[in-house]
Every structure is written in C-alpha cells, then in structure tokens.
Amino acid sequence: MTEGDAVPGLGAAVHDTARDRSGRVEEHVGPRCRVRPFSGGRTWDADPAELRPLGQDELLRILVAEANARSSRDM
C-alpha cells in the first residue's frame, strides 16, 4: 500500500512485498499489522506500506495450492 492509503482492514488478504509472503491481516498493533499465513502458523509483523491487497485470481490460486498441499499430506 502506498502512503496515504488506508491500513488494510482485519481479514484482508494481502501480500507482504518486503517478505514475499501472503496472508490475512489478523490485528493492528500500533502502526503495524499482524499477518497470518493462509495455511495457518505464526503471524508476522508487517509495515502497512509494504502490504498490497491480493486480487481475486491471486487469492484463489493461493487457496487452491494450499488445499492441494493439504490433500497430498493426508494421503
């Protein structure tokens, strides 16, 4: 997100350009966001200026890849 843009809302699907990771915004802590990977796991702190919203096609691709990975592990 660029300066002047709003901080992404809770639950927003975002890509952290500084870490090249994607997830959902879990909470706001001071000026930073806490983001959790779509697959679960540990949250990380992110600067809202380094977050960009995911497009619908990107989000769908990520969620399908995660579901496929889970189903492969379950076999």
Side-chain angles (χ1 to χ4, degrees):
M1 305 199 74
T2 60
E3 193 165 334
D5 284 345
V7 173
L10 297 178
V14 296
H15 182 78
D16 183 341
T17 59
R19 290 179 180 77
D20 195 25
R21 297 177 71 188
S22 297
R24 289 201 186 273
V25 176
E26 289 273 311
E27 66 180 318
H28 300 122
V29 180
R32 302 190 58 83
C33 294
R34 298 284 292 167
V35 181
R36 183 172 309 277
F38 291 110
S39 59
R42 299 180 82 163
T43 60
W44 73 89
D45 285 336
D47 180 344
E50 295 171 338
L51 297 177
R52 69 169 178 79
L54 288 176
Q56 290 293 335
D57 57 334
E58 289 176 294
L59 178 57
L60 182 59
R61 182 182 47 80
I62 290 168
L63 294 176
V64 167
E66 301 259 339
N68 287 340
R70 273 193 310 276
S71 94
S72 295
R73 286 192 302 261
D74 294 341
M75 295 184 137

